[in-house]
Amino acid sequence: MQRRNVVALLGALLLGGGSMLRRALALGPKGAAPSLAAGADTLFPGGDGLPAASTFGLHERVLAMADLRLSIHEGIAWLDRHAASRGAADFVALDEPGRLAALDAAFASAENGIRPFVFALRQHIGTAYYAEPAIKKAFAYTGPPQPEGFADFQERPS
């Protein structure tokens, strides 16, 4: 009977310790903001008068999402390892084509958890980027085409 208690206690400590470690890591690495900003700007770089995604602090919004913290930590670690395999110090140290190649490699990777990280990053930052008033103003959107059709066009867009 005593042996079971010891085994149960050790099991609880090991499992509890693992979850405490996961929680500590899920709080986000201290250097996550620059890496996330670099990723956001790689995915949504702006151009033609539009600002990059990090200009709006969208990476900070994603970093504040509690349910993504562990995924962000693992994703940034993966991107940093990829950058190191290419001779760079970390993901931030890569140039624009290198960052794009790293994100493409992450999305194509079969490694558990990295593809959902890139997908979540693209989805959350993309949604927030195109919801920004400054970005919305840049597109000539006159409203939905129905029921009167496409008011600004002779024919529907192809």
Side-chain angles (χ1 to χ4, degrees):
M1 189 82 150
Q2 237 177 2
R3 188 173 178 190
R4 280 189 197 174
N5 291 341
V6 170
V7 170
L9 179 62
L10 286 175
L13 287 174
L14 289 174
L15 293 176
S19 70
M20 287 182 355
L21 177 62
R22 263 187 252 116
R23 272 190 230 116
L25 292 175
L27 294 175
K30 299 262 186 235
S35 296
L36 219 50
D41 287 349
T42 302
L43 293 171
F44 299 95
D48 294 330
L50 298 176
S54 66
T55 305
F56 300 113
L58 303 180
H59 60 288
E60 295 289 346
R61 290 187 208 171
V62 172
L63 197 56
M65 294 179 179
D67 56 333
L68 293 179
R69 286 188 184 147
L70 183 58
S71 177
I72 289 169
H73 174 75
E74 291 172 352
I76 290 173
W78 192 97
L79 292 171
D80 286 344
R81 284 191 308 273
H82 180 82
S85 73
R86 303 294 187 262
D90 57 10
F91 178 70
V92 177
L94 292 171
D95 60 355
E96 185 77 19
R99 290 179 188 167
L100 189 57
L103 287 168
D104 286 344
F107 192 72
S109 175
E111 190 173 326
N112 191 19
I114 188 62
R115 189 173 192 181
F117 161 73
V118 177
F119 184 75
L121 185 65
R122 185 181 66 189
Q123 178 185 6
H124 289 294
I125 291 182
T127 301
Y129 184 76
Y130 289 110
E132 283 293 323
I135 302 301
K136 287 169 98 175
K137 284 181 189 176
F139 296 99
Y141 176 69
T142 58
Q146 302 301 327
E148 279 117 45
F150 299 92
D152 294 351
F153 305 96
Q154 292 293 333
E155 298 176 15
R156 67 185 178 113
S158 53

